[in-house]
Amino acid sequence: SQTIHQWPATLVQPVGSPLSLECTVEGTSNPNLYWYRQAAGRGLQLLFYSVGIGQISSEVPQNLSASRPQDRQFILSSKKLLLSDSGFYLCAWTSGRASDTQYFGPGTRLTVL
Amino acid sequence: GQNIDQPTEMTATEGAIVQINCTYQTSGFNGLFWYQQHAGEAPTFLSYNVLDGLEEKGRFSSFLSRSKGYSYLLLKELQMKDSASYLCAVINSNYQLIWGAGTKLIIKP
């Protein structure tokens, strides 16, 4: 069966510090991978998605970036965090067919102070 | 533009039935999802509808009318553990997943 991991689970970072969040998927190959952010009490905002190694599409211009160095690894980064980057970051995967169900990792709660 | 509308919050009583509505205006349609999200946790998949009609899964059912751009999630025999947010999401013609803001369901004893 497929499993998706995210770490860390929680993170408190000062404004201006760098960020690296990691997501890995097990039990599947060539997944589509997604990064979302959810502000408190709000819906999901798609940040990035990837259909393959090195292929990243950005949905929202911001100070975040994403990379996919391996087939089942997806990394979200920032060089300098802003207060507005606080939120719940979720990684998701699908099997590669666009209409497939998205399955989410446990998420990372980021607080920028 | 594309948007999905859901009520922000609903309250229901344990043991009762509740219907959560979702209306959508998207560029095309390739399916509709319902997810459950407990506070502080990730969303979990509940149902997928692509054809008109009712899909039943135990206590949960989901209905779709493509001509009306409308879906609902029906929860029967409510339990306290059903207190959560329920997210509606639609796949458009470009296979983008458009998310609603979610409906927070509060269950009272």
Side-chain angles (χ1 to χ4, degrees):
Chain A
S1 65
Q2 299 83 13
T3 310
I4 180 168
H5 303 279
Q6 281 186 251
W7 63 90
T10 60
L11 194 58
V12 179
Q13 292 285 95
V15 169
S17 64
L19 174 73
S20 180
L21 302 181
E22 188 163 344
C23 169
T24 59
V25 182
E26 295 177 356
T28 187
S29 58
N30 302 317
N32 286 354
L33 296 172
Y34 305 82
W35 277 113
Y36 287 93
R37 178 170 59 203
Q38 187 176 36
R42 305 290 295 274
L44 298 176
Q45 179 188 32
L46 179 63
L47 301 175
F48 302 95
Y49 69 93
S50 171
V51 298
I53 296 175
Q55 300 179 62
I56 309 294
S57 295
S58 174
E59 291 294 305
V60 181
Q62 62 227 321
N63 67 320
L64 299 172
S65 61
S67 62
R68 185 169 176 175
Q70 300 180 44
D71 181 45
R72 289 170 289 177
Q73 184 185 30
F74 205 21
I75 297 172
L76 183 70
S77 304
S78 174
K79 292 182 179 178
K80 287 187 178 182
L81 284 168
L82 306 173
L83 285 174
S84 58
D85 291 324
S86 293
F88 191 38
Y89 287 82
L90 291 157
C91 181
W93 74 275
T94 66
S95 66
R97 292 180 302 180
S99 58
D100 274 357
T101 302
Q102 289 192 13
Y103 294 97
F104 289 85
T108 295
R109 177 78 56 192
L110 173 66
T111 303
V112 182
L113 301 175
Chain B
Q2 304 186 89
N3 64 282
I4 295 181
D5 293 315
Q6 305 178 235
T8 303
E9 187 174 296
M10 298 181 70
T11 302
T13 304
E14 189 177 15
I17 299 173
V18 71
Q19 178 175 310
I20 302 174
N21 295 326
C22 169
T23 57
Y24 60 90
Q25 298 89 37
T26 57
S27 54
F29 178 85
N30 278 301
L32 183 144
F33 293 93
W34 282 98
Y35 282 80
Q36 181 190 59
Q37 185 177 24
H38 285 102
E41 299 181 7
T44 55
F45 168 73
L46 286 178
S47 66
Y48 173 68
N49 293 70
V50 66
L51 299 175
D52 289 350
L54 187 68
E55 296 275 347
E56 297 187 74
K57 275 187 183 182
R59 294 190 298 115
F60 291 11
S61 303
S62 56
F63 171 83
L64 174 67
S65 170
R66 288 172 296 172
S67 62
K68 295 181 179 178
Y70 168 70
S71 173
Y72 67 73
L73 182 69
L74 191 70
L75 291 73
K76 302 176 184 176
E77 301 170 14
L78 286 170
Q79 302 176 10
M80 297 304 293
K81 67 178 181 180
D82 298 329
S83 292
S85 288
Y86 292 85
L87 310 178
C88 175
V90 171
I91 304 176
N92 67 9
S93 57
N94 293 325
Y95 292 95
Q96 298 170 311
L97 191 56
I98 312 299
W99 292 88
T103 299
K104 183 178 181 180
L105 178 63
I106 299 168
I107 309 296
K108 295 186 175 180

